Amino acid sequence: MGDRIEPEARAPREAAFNVPWTLAALIGALLATHGWRLLTGIGVERFALTPEDLGRGRWGALISYQFVHGGWAHVLMNCGFTLAFGAPTARFLGAGARGAAAFFTFFLTCGVLAALGYAGVLALENLAGREAGPWALVGASGAASGLLGAAARLIEGRGRLGPMTGRTVAGITAGWILVNAVLGLTGLTPGAGGLPVAWPAHILGYAAGLILIGPFAAAAGVRRREP
């Protein structure tokens, strides 16, 4: 008789889409709010951030502008960007209550700081005699740029929180500044629907994420792991 051959142990299958629930919820919120605005026929100007909002203390616009987009191409582009660079941060902060709260607050905070920084840049231009003119800010790209900043440090640390001065972080930072400088000079941005690109907000949101991922990780209870 021949020997009995035992079947080989099969490795467990991984899910085709392994997206943290916090990230899926965030993307769902971006898509849902855009769809709701189109169904109700409300214009983007109602939720956009303007200089008048800041001057009159309407601080809610710092949050609402992040969830309003110029069109489906705009929101889908920002959702793709958020999905690509938000997964490392969402997993790092964790899926529990503290981690989820830290992730959502981190995203919104990066968006708020990106908008305030952008308004500050335009105010300085006005003081220098270069009239920026009226403006309105919409979209989640500033907040999503913060996720890229956080991801840069996680890539630097190979899953841990790496230093802001590492070579990988420096390379990603230089690349992100270059990309946005080109977009700002050429005005060519896929999915923007011809809207002018607030590229300083992208860079400022990235810087916010780069710096703030440390404090938010501590707030989420993430312990520093040894290599």
Side-chain angles (χ1 to χ4, degrees):
M1 292 181 62
D3 295 331
R4 181 179 177 182
I5 300 177
E6 296 291 340
E8 294 182 2
R10 296 182 179 180
R13 294 182 178 180
E14 294 186 1
F17 298 97
N18 188 19
V19 179
W21 76 265
T22 49
L23 182 58
L26 176 59
I27 292 174
L30 294 174
L31 293 172
T33 51
H34 181 69
W36 170 80
R37 187 183 66 78
L38 293 181
L39 287 174
T40 55
I42 300 175
V44 294
E45 64 278 356
R46 180 169 176 179
F47 300 105
L49 175 69
T50 65
E52 290 74 20
D53 291 322
L54 297 177
R56 296 177 182 178
R58 294 196 291 256
W59 307 119
L62 287 167
I63 301 297
S64 65
Y65 94 91
Q66 302 180 48
F67 293 90
V68 62
H69 293 80
W72 279 113
H74 189 199
V75 69
L76 290 175
M77 181 181 66
N78 278 339
C79 285
F81 187 56
T82 300
L83 178 64
F85 298 110
T89 305
R91 293 192 183 101
F92 179 70
L93 295 177
R98 288 180 65 181
F103 176 74
F104 294 132
T105 308
F106 174 79
F107 181 85
L108 296 175
T109 301
C110 289
V112 168
L113 293 178
L116 291 175
Y118 179 69
V121 168
L122 295 184
L124 290 176
E125 288 187 1
N126 290 333
L127 289 176
R130 298 169 53 192
E131 291 295 329
W135 56 270
L137 196 61
V138 296
S141 54
S145 297
L147 296 176
L148 174 59
R153 291 189 62 183
L154 293 173
I155 294 171
E156 178 73 48
R158 298 184 180 182
R160 296 177 293 118
L161 197 59
M164 288 187 288
T165 56
R167 294 176 62 181
T168 300
V169 171
I172 294 175
T173 301
W176 189 235
I177 293 174
L178 178 61
V179 165
N180 281 279
V182 171
L183 294 178
L185 291 173
T186 63
L188 300 175
T189 305
L195 295 174
V197 180
W199 60 271
H202 298 172
I203 297 175
L204 293 165
Y206 173 88
L210 200 68
I211 297 169
L212 293 180
I213 184 58
F216 274 91
V222 178
R223 296 180 180 179
R224 292 185 178 273
R225 291 177 291 173
E226 296 299 325

